Amino acid sequence: MYEPIRTKSVHRTRADVSSDFPHRSREEELDIQLAGHLAALLAVTDELRGLAPSAELETAADRLAGEVSRLRGGRTPARAVAASAADPTELHRRAHALAGRALVVAASRADTSAAILAAERMDAHGSALALSTA
């Protein structure tokens, strides 16, 4: 019915992979992904702080920076300099989406502190969006 495969597969198998190639575990990959989402959320938070400074955003930015630093082995994350005149509603929308992505990854790696922070940020940005559309 089908013709047998006569050529070698172009896909690598476990036998083809050399042991000297550095591999990351699933946990390491999730740490990298979570740190990236939180760092992006930190950048948006910094932009929002530049547009409308508040103690709540300052505290959130400090907590986000602490989580990113923890996930990156103590390296301090880069902080955005607020120089844009972006629409605050769009920034809150972007921050809400980033916090949602971070929450999903934090939950999958069972990182309670990051999950709580991401959920709090989702709530805060969701509330800000509700106020801006009302």
Side-chain angles (χ1 to χ4, degrees), residues 12-91:
R12 294 187 131 187
T13 62
R14 270 294 195 208
D16 295 337
V17 179
S18 66
S19 62
D20 62 342
F21 184 74
H23 294 282
R24 289 190 286 250
S25 68
R26 181 175 187 276
E27 291 77 24
E28 290 170 324
E29 289 292 339
L30 288 173
D31 282 349
I32 292 167
Q33 190 175 19
L34 180 57
H37 290 316
L38 291 175
L41 180 57
L42 174 61
V44 174
T45 302
D46 282 342
E47 283 187 63
L48 283 166
R49 281 182 37 235
L51 292 175
S54 74
E56 189 260 339
L57 285 173
E58 187 69 38
T59 302
D62 290 342
R63 289 179 61 202
L64 285 166
E67 284 295 319
V68 173
S69 179
R70 177 182 64 85
L71 290 165
R72 290 184 174 166
R75 291 185 310 199
T76 306
R79 300 293 298 266
V81 177
S84 71
D87 177 26
T89 303
E90 182 55 36
L91 289 174

Side-chain angles (χ1 to χ4, degrees), residues 87-130:
D87 177 26
T89 303
E90 182 55 36
L91 289 174
H92 282 295
R93 189 173 291 120
R94 189 178 331 152
H96 187 268
L98 287 166
R101 290 184 193 123
L103 179 58
V104 169
V105 176
S108 82
R109 71 178 293 278
D111 188 332
T112 307
S113 63
I116 290 170
L117 177 58
E120 289 172 358
R121 298 315 309 148
M122 276 188 75
D123 288 345
H125 294 294
S127 295
L129 285 170

